[in-house]
Amino acid sequence: TRVIVPEGTKSELDGAFRELRAASRPGGPRAMLSVFDGAMLADPSLLPVAASHVFLRRGQKFATSPQPVGGIPEFEDQDDDYRGPHLIVMQHGWYASSFDMRLLRAYALLLFPRAIVLSPQSNEDNSGGSMGPMGQRLAHEVHNFIKHRCDELSDPDPKMGRLSFIGHSAGSMIVRTALTSPIFRPYLSKLHTFVSLSSSHCGNMFVPSTIISGGMWALQHLHQSTFMDELQLIDRDTMNESFMYKLSQAKGFEYFKYVVLVGSTQDSYVPMHTAQATIPRPAEADKKGGGDAYMQMATNLMSPISQKTAESDKQTTVVRLTMEYKFTQTNLDTVIGRAAHLAYIDSSAAVLLILFSLYNLLK
């Protein structure tokens, strides 16, 4: 199964965002909330908006009709019958720290009182190496945390506890690598929701910004980072032998009940096509080998989900969430796309929008 981005996607998204903003009820968000941050809602026109594309499985339906304004509705087959804790692991990105996930952690603890939130620290001082060891370190940290803080997740009963992941940028690839570790096998049946915030699931290929392409080249030569080589599929002689390509062939998304791929057309650091595992036109037109590798990776990621039979133990629903931000000023960060890339974790308005949109999946 290949999901191809049509030529008119940008204009269609712009139209959808205009409709979302126009659909606000009289009084804006204040009319919908009994408690709100007055400073945040001083100018509702500056708040971010998100358009969701839910890929319903054959026969799957929403429990209620989707509303023009609001988060993703509950599904008819949504199973909320579980006992014990819900562990949500929030993995930071490249050359970042667990502190970067502080807003997500704080709001998640407020919104989901049954949740236990872990912000891993095992990769804070090891960002320049290969994704393989990073994933192993994360797997061991989560395993040790479960043993000491929520041992119920070790129970073989799939109804006992849940395990969800939120990864920002490189964090999502580290999570996918961790899932391949043997130490993770006892917890695979507990995997519930995977939220990927602007992550290069198919590598950083076909980046539309020449500024960002040049910046990546400079970072690669400055840091001599194995991670950057892997991200651009140049860590091996051929792309088909690269770490990212091999990772796309391993099981990952199909372990979860819900997979949420969040991206933005304003984020030049991680283009939306790789953040949402879709195939852009440049990849189709490329004849140098990179396009074929990219398309095969996107297919490797998404096909196992669509090929599941009704008898499969766990069906997976994919949600693509596309963000649009209104920045109060234009500066270098907004021009090069860095502001949009960091808004997922730095902006209270963006964090709340994401968590409220996904409330029925994470509650």
Side-chain angles (χ1 to χ4, degrees):
T1 300
R2 292 183 175 179
V3 183
I4 299 177
V5 179
E7 294 290 352
T9 292
K10 182 65 169 65
S11 59
E12 290 171 4
L13 280 172
D14 289 343
F17 290 138
R18 285 194 297 271
E19 290 178 11
L20 282 170
R21 292 185 185 279
S24 297
R25 302 175 188 177
R30 289 182 178 83
M32 295 178 252
L33 302 173
S34 57
V35 178
F36 57 87
D37 183 341
M40 187 183 297
L41 299 183
D43 187 353
S45 67
L46 296 178
L47 292 175
V49 294
S52 62
H53 187 173
V54 183
F55 293 82
L56 294 174
R57 304 186 308 273
R58 182 174 298 175
Q60 187 182 28
K61 297 179 180 178
F62 289 118
T64 56
S65 299
Q67 301 299 314
V69 178
I72 297 168
E74 292 187 354
F75 299 94
E76 284 186 349
D77 60 348
Q78 192 160 325
D79 183 9
D80 291 323
D81 181 23
Y82 78 99
R83 310 181 306 280
H86 183 181
L87 174 59
I88 302 177
V89 180
M90 299 181 173
Q91 177 60 48
H92 62 78
W94 188 58
Y95 277 103
S97 75
S98 57
F99 184 70
D100 293 317
M101 311 301 281
R102 64 195 181 281
L103 272 181
L104 270 168
R105 174 186 172 85
Y107 285 127
L109 288 172
L110 285 172
L111 289 173
F112 312 116
R114 294 178 66 176
I116 299 172
V117 180
L118 168 64
S119 298
Q121 301 177 12
S122 54
N123 286 300
E124 289 184 341
D125 300 320
N126 301 281
S127 290
S130 170
M131 291 185 218
M134 290 186 198
Q136 292 298 319
R137 284 192 289 267
L138 174 61
H140 281 273
E141 184 173 2
V142 173
H143 171 73
N144 291 333
F145 185 87
I146 289 173
K147 289 299 183 184
H148 290 93
R149 287 290 306 276
C150 43
D151 194 47
E152 299 97 323
L153 282 170
S154 300
D155 192 310
D157 182 358
K159 295 287 188 181
M160 179 55 73
R162 283 177 173 172
L163 177 56
S164 295
F165 286 89
I166 299 178
H168 176 243
S169 193
S172 294
M173 282 81 78
I174 296 172
V175 169
R176 286 172 51 205
T177 305
L179 298 178
T180 66
S181 172
I183 201 173
F184 232 93
R185 287 174 188 161
Y187 314 119
L188 295 179
S189 64
K190 308 299 178 72
L191 294 178
H192 187 256
T193 301
F194 182 11
V195 181
S196 165
L197 304 175
S198 190
S199 301
S200 302
H201 288 291
C202 301
N204 259 34
M205 303 170 67
F206 307 104
V207 178
S209 170
T210 55
I211 297 176
I212 297 301
S213 298
M216 288 182 179
W217 180 89
L219 283 173
Q220 180 183 340
H221 285 75
L222 177 65
H223 292 287
Q224 293 295 308
S225 170
T226 303
F227 175 87
M228 289 298 292
D229 288 348
E230 291 174 345
L231 196 61
Q232 298 181 75
L233 279 69
I234 59 174
D235 54 305
R236 294 290 187 273
D237 292 336
T238 63
M239 290 186 173
N240 288 0
E241 294 297 322
S242 66
F243 182 90
M244 286 290 293
Y245 192 93
K246 295 290 187 183
L247 183 61
S248 75
Q249 295 175 314
K251 283 189 175 182
F253 289 166
E254 58 265 44
Y255 285 133
F256 293 88
K257 187 170 181 62
Y258 302 105
V259 173
V260 184
L261 303 173
V262 187
S264 171
T265 58
Q266 297 163 292
D267 183 354
S268 298
Y269 274 34
V270 177
M272 197 169 72
H273 56 260
T274 187
Q276 298 187 341
T278 58
I279 298 175
R281 294 298 185 193
E284 289 190 294
D286 183 77
K287 304 300 181 184
K288 298 179 181 178
D292 288 341
Y294 180 97
M295 290 189 289
Q296 189 58 55
M297 283 192 293
T299 302
N300 291 344
L301 289 170
M302 306 309 295
S303 287
I305 296 173
S306 62
Q307 292 172 359
K308 282 185 175 180
T309 64
E311 291 75 28
S312 298
D313 292 337
K314 185 182 292 182
Q315 298 293 319
T316 303
T317 299
V318 176
V319 178
R320 288 190 170 101
L321 195 68
T322 305
M323 305 282 290
E324 187 203 48
Y325 306 100
K326 289 288 187 180
F327 297 109
T328 56
Q329 59 183 356
T330 301
N331 53 35
L332 181 61
D333 282 349
T334 59
V335 170
I336 67 174
R338 181 175 182 271
H341 186 68
L342 296 179
Y344 303 101
I345 57 174
D346 280 354
S347 164
S348 295
V351 168
L352 284 171
L353 176 59
I354 291 169
L355 292 180
F356 275 119
S357 297
L358 306 179
Y359 183 82
N360 285 328
L361 310 188
L362 289 169
K363 67 181 181 180

